[in-house]
Amino acid sequence: CYTFSLSDPRQLLENHDRIIIKIKDSDPLCVDKERLTKDSPVFRWLIDELRFYELDMDDFEADTVGVFLTLLEDRKVDDIQEDKFRELHKMSRVYEVEWLRKECYNWLARRIIK
């Protein structure tokens, strides 16, 4: 689920399989822990080691965060919208999602070759 109601925060404390992502100018998102930690050593460190169950992503636009989370689930990059490229690349670097960083590099290389 992407949407989440914070009406009962105690549910979060009981179930750490879900992580709350706070985004600027948008409602928080509820994301499976596995989705975040599978490909990102940074998320693994924040969640598993530091026990952060709420993460701020207010440096990024809400719609780009949504695309990023979808890519983490699907692991398919058909095409990156040009207006999302910079932020997706930045997110791939910040959270050390290596396969996405490579996909961004390949996307840029294809654009340059055209």
Side-chain angles (χ1 to χ4, degrees), residues 85-112:
F85 168 76
R86 283 180 163 242
E87 278 199 310
L88 283 173
H89 182 257
K90 181 178 176 183
M91 293 177 87
S92 73
R93 301 291 289 188
V94 168
Y95 298 110
E96 297 179 12
V97 180
E98 192 61 25
W99 69 266
L100 182 56
R101 186 194 61 77
K102 289 177 183 176
E103 287 292 332
C104 288
Y105 175 83
N106 292 337
W107 179 89
L108 185 59
R110 286 190 304 270
R111 300 279 299 182
I112 292 171

Side-chain angles (χ1 to χ4, degrees), residues 63-100:
D63 55 340
T64 307
V65 173
V67 170
F68 177 74
L69 295 174
T70 300
L71 289 173
L72 290 180
E73 178 73 15
D74 297 345
R75 293 187 57 104
K76 284 194 277 183
V77 179
D78 295 326
D79 194 24
I80 299 172
Q81 294 177 359
E82 193 166 334
D83 62 326
K84 305 266 185 278
F85 168 76
R86 283 180 163 242
E87 278 199 310
L88 283 173
H89 182 257
K90 181 178 176 183
M91 293 177 87
S92 73
R93 301 291 289 188
V94 168
Y95 298 110
E96 297 179 12
V97 180
E98 192 61 25
W99 69 266
L100 182 56

Side-chain angles (χ1 to χ4, degrees), residues 11-78:
Q11 289 178 324
L12 294 176
L13 298 175
E14 296 168 2
N15 182 3
H16 295 301
D17 292 338
R18 300 270 193 206
I19 305 300
I20 301 301
I21 304 291
K22 295 180 180 178
I23 306 168
K24 69 178 175 182
D25 303 327
S26 186
D27 292 331
L29 303 176
C30 175
V31 181
D32 288 328
K33 172 185 165 183
E34 169 97 11
R35 178 183 302 194
L36 297 172
T37 59
K38 182 177 178 183
D39 295 318
S40 170
V42 174
F43 282 132
R44 277 194 298 276
W45 180 68
L46 290 170
I47 295 167
D48 293 338
E49 301 296 322
L50 297 180
R51 307 255 187 251
F52 285 12
Y53 303 111
E54 291 185 13
L55 301 172
D56 290 324
M57 287 191 168
D58 53 6
D59 289 341
F60 306 102
E61 296 297 321
D63 55 340
T64 307
V65 173
V67 170
F68 177 74
L69 295 174
T70 300
L71 289 173
L72 290 180
E73 178 73 15
D74 297 345
R75 293 187 57 104
K76 284 194 277 183
V77 179
D78 295 326

